[in-house]
Amino acid sequence: MVTGVQGQFVTIPAGTFLMGKDESRRDERPAHTVTVRAFAAAVSPVTNAQYAAYVDATSADAPPFLAEGRFAAPGQPVVGINWFEALAYCEWLGTLDDRSYRLPTEAEREFAALGGLPGGDWSWAGENAPFVAWINSLDSPHVPSPECTNGYGLRCMAENVHEWCSDWYAANWYASSPPNDPPGPESGKRRASRGGSWRHRDKTTRINARSSLDPSFRYSDFGFRVYREI
């Protein structure tokens, strides 16, 4: 684990896995073999405190939900950040230490969420984990907890907030996606996102499950996590 200007990062090793799920929603089909190169991922989503440093340094707009106490704790994931703002934050980080920060591809996000498991729907073995009942009792984002850690050391990969990906979203993309480091479609109207949501009735979300949003929208359950080249 390495600590930098964004906080702690872990290296996700290169690997090959089965992306998607044939027995699930149409946009998760067909399941297909994908290989990703090694990369680094932040242990937790970007927090209010980390984003505040960016706002102070650049005069960027403050997150829109901070006036509500349940979204304001410094260690909570920052929410209400649109895709363009998330991208700008990554670019700003790169000016601080000359490294290449970015949002993940959908393939990288799904592979990282597996946490080294050979496959499955969740970031942990089995359908339930001891902390799920606690997660389901919440009505706001939560400070990432060690209990939510997967096998790679990443927290909140199946719950807390949706996290923006770099890809455009297309429901039929898997039928033509390349097998090596797929970047997503060349164009689209919505950007892909992954992960669970504190707003949903079922607050934990399968790692195969895809979601998307207009990149200009700001929702109180949308945040992001920073990834880095190695």
Side-chain angles (χ1 to χ4, degrees):
M1 189 175 296
V2 177
T3 301
V5 293
Q6 167 60 29
Q8 292 183 322
F9 280 79
V10 294
T11 296
I12 310 301
T16 300
F17 72 111
L18 191 65
M19 185 173 182
K21 186 176 182 180
D22 287 329
E23 301 79 21
S24 192
R25 300 187 329 186
R26 184 172 299 176
D27 69 347
E28 297 173 42
R29 309 175 203 159
H32 55 293
T33 300
V34 169
T35 298
V36 294
R37 66 185 184 276
F39 55 94
V43 168
S44 300
V46 175
T47 66
N48 283 321
Q50 289 165 338
Y51 201 82
Y54 163 67
V55 170
D56 289 343
T58 65
S59 299
D61 290 340
F65 298 102
L66 285 180
E68 297 184 49
R70 61 179 177 156
F71 302 120
Q76 283 179 317
V78 64
V79 295
I81 304 303
N82 69 30
W83 185 88
F84 300 104
E85 292 167 329
L87 198 67
Y89 178 91
C90 292
E91 292 172 350
W92 170 75
L93 277 183
T95 68
L96 302 183
D97 64 4
D98 293 323
R99 293 181 177 180
S100 180
Y101 296 92
R102 58 181 176 80
L103 299 176
T105 64
E106 279 198 88
E108 289 172 331
R109 180 56 168 73
E110 188 165 323
F111 182 70
L114 278 170
L117 294 174
D121 289 338
W122 305 100
S123 297
W124 52 84
E127 186 168 347
N128 293 307
F131 65 86
V132 170
W134 169 63
I135 294 296
N136 286 334
S137 72
L138 302 176
D139 66 350
S140 68
H142 68 87
V143 175
S145 168
E147 286 76 17
C148 307
T149 304
N150 75 1
Y152 285 143
L154 303 175
R155 299 181 180 183
C156 304
M157 295 297 281
E159 40 76 34
N160 212 350
V161 295
H162 292 303
E163 298 177 6
W164 288 112
C165 295
S166 61
D167 308 30
W168 287 110
Y169 171 83
N172 61 352
W173 171 242
Y174 285 5
S176 58
S177 173
N180 297 317
D181 290 311
E186 293 184 359
S187 62
K189 294 183 178 180
R190 300 164 70 93
R191 291 287 182 176
S193 61
R194 291 297 186 100
S197 166
W198 67 268
R199 292 177 65 222
H200 292 183
R201 181 175 63 85
D202 296 322
K203 301 181 190 301
T204 52
T205 299
R206 295 176 300 103
I207 62 172
N208 319 93
R210 306 176 69 198
S211 54
S212 64
L213 190 68
D214 183 306
S216 67
F217 285 7
R218 299 179 177 91
Y219 282 4
S220 62
D221 60 342
F222 263 72
F224 67 107
R225 184 184 308 250
V226 174
Y227 289 64
R228 189 174 71 196
E229 303 294 343
I230 58 172

